[in-house]
């Protein structure tokens, strides 16, 4: 999105708000070049194909309510959920597709949820990926542990 003031080819989103009906997003943007602020309205052309075949427009609320269940009793706030839903929406929009299925939304949730809370991530993944044995949990936990080690050694490398 070009800056309307100086035509700079880039702008930074400083706030995003979904309208009450969930059909559009208003973004406040700021130009990194001249500092000018402007708003854009993005109309939802993002549809979700449910397992039943029903098509409905993408809703951050639905993402939040799906994840909220997995977060029960965890130190996750509504603001965290809202941020996660925003990330999910951004990542599915980045694919450029105007229609996605619920499966792809589930996939897009896993990454940011894992960053947010690993226990909630495991709960969500167990439902979404239909874990049916202890081995499924064990391999997911092993993966989380392996990534912790990677992250720690990555940090050590960066310090050198
Ligand atoms: Zn500008």
């Amino acid at each position: 999105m070009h800056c309307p003031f100086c035509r700079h080819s880039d702008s930074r989103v400083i706030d995003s708000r979904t309208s009450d009906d969930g059909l559009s997003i208003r973004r406040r943007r700021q130009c990194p070049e001249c500092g000018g602020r402007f708003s854009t309205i993005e109309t939802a052309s993002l549809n979700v194909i449910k397992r039943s075949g029903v098509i409905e427009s993408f809703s951050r609320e639905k993402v939040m309510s799906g994840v909220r269940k997995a977060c029960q009793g965890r130190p996750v706030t509504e603001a965290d959920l809202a941020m996660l839903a925003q990330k999910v929406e951004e990542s599915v929009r980045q694919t450029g597709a105007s229609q996605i299925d619920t499966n792809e939304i589930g996939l897009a949730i896993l990454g940011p949820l894992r960053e947010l809370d690993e226990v909630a991530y495991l709960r969500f993944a167990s439902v979404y990926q239909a874990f049916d044995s202890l081995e499924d949990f064990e391999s997911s936990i092993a993966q989380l542990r392996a990534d912790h080690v990677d992250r720690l050694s990555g940090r050590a490398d960066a310090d050198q």
Side-chain angles (χ1 to χ4, degrees), residues 1-27:
M1 179 85 204
H2 288 250
C3 169
F5 308 109
C6 73
R7 314 302 296 169
H8 186 68
S9 61
D10 196 17
S11 63
R12 198 166 62 86
V13 175
I14 52 180
D15 187 32
S16 295
R17 243 164 250 232
T18 306
S19 62
D20 289 340
D21 62 6
L23 295 178
S24 65
I25 299 166
R26 184 169 176 274
R27 294 190 198 282

Side-chain angles (χ1 to χ4, degrees), residues 50-158:
K50 300 177 73 172
R51 287 193 183 88
S52 60
V54 173
I55 294 174
E56 58 183 35
S57 55
F58 177 88
S59 151
R60 284 196 203 176
E61 259 312 310
K62 292 212 167 126
V63 170
M64 287 173 69
S65 68
V67 174
R68 194 178 285 124
K69 279 178 217 148
C71 292
Q72 273 173 16
R74 302 298 304 164
V76 175
T77 64
E78 280 297 298
D80 291 334
L81 290 176
M83 183 58 78
L84 181 139
Q86 182 176 332
K87 283 186 189 160
V88 169
E89 175 166 3
E90 281 163 5
S91 74
V92 294
R93 281 187 184 280
Q94 267 165 15
T95 65
S98 59
Q99 283 201 351
I100 50 169
D101 58 39
T102 47
N103 220 33
E104 290 171 272
I105 294 184
L107 268 181
I109 288 171
L110 288 173
L113 182 54
R114 188 174 148 170
E115 292 292 311
L116 191 59
D117 188 282
E118 289 178 340
V119 172
Y121 162 81
L122 276 176
R123 287 177 185 159
F124 185 85
S126 72
V127 175
Y128 165 69
Q129 294 173 325
F131 285 9
D132 59 5
S133 68
L134 281 177
E135 284 73 25
D136 288 336
F137 281 97
E138 279 167 356
S139 61
S140 278
I141 292 168
Q143 184 63 53
L144 286 171
R145 288 225 169 94
D147 292 349
H148 283 180
V149 171
D150 283 353
R151 229 178 284 167
L152 287 175
S153 61
R155 202 172 299 155
D157 289 345

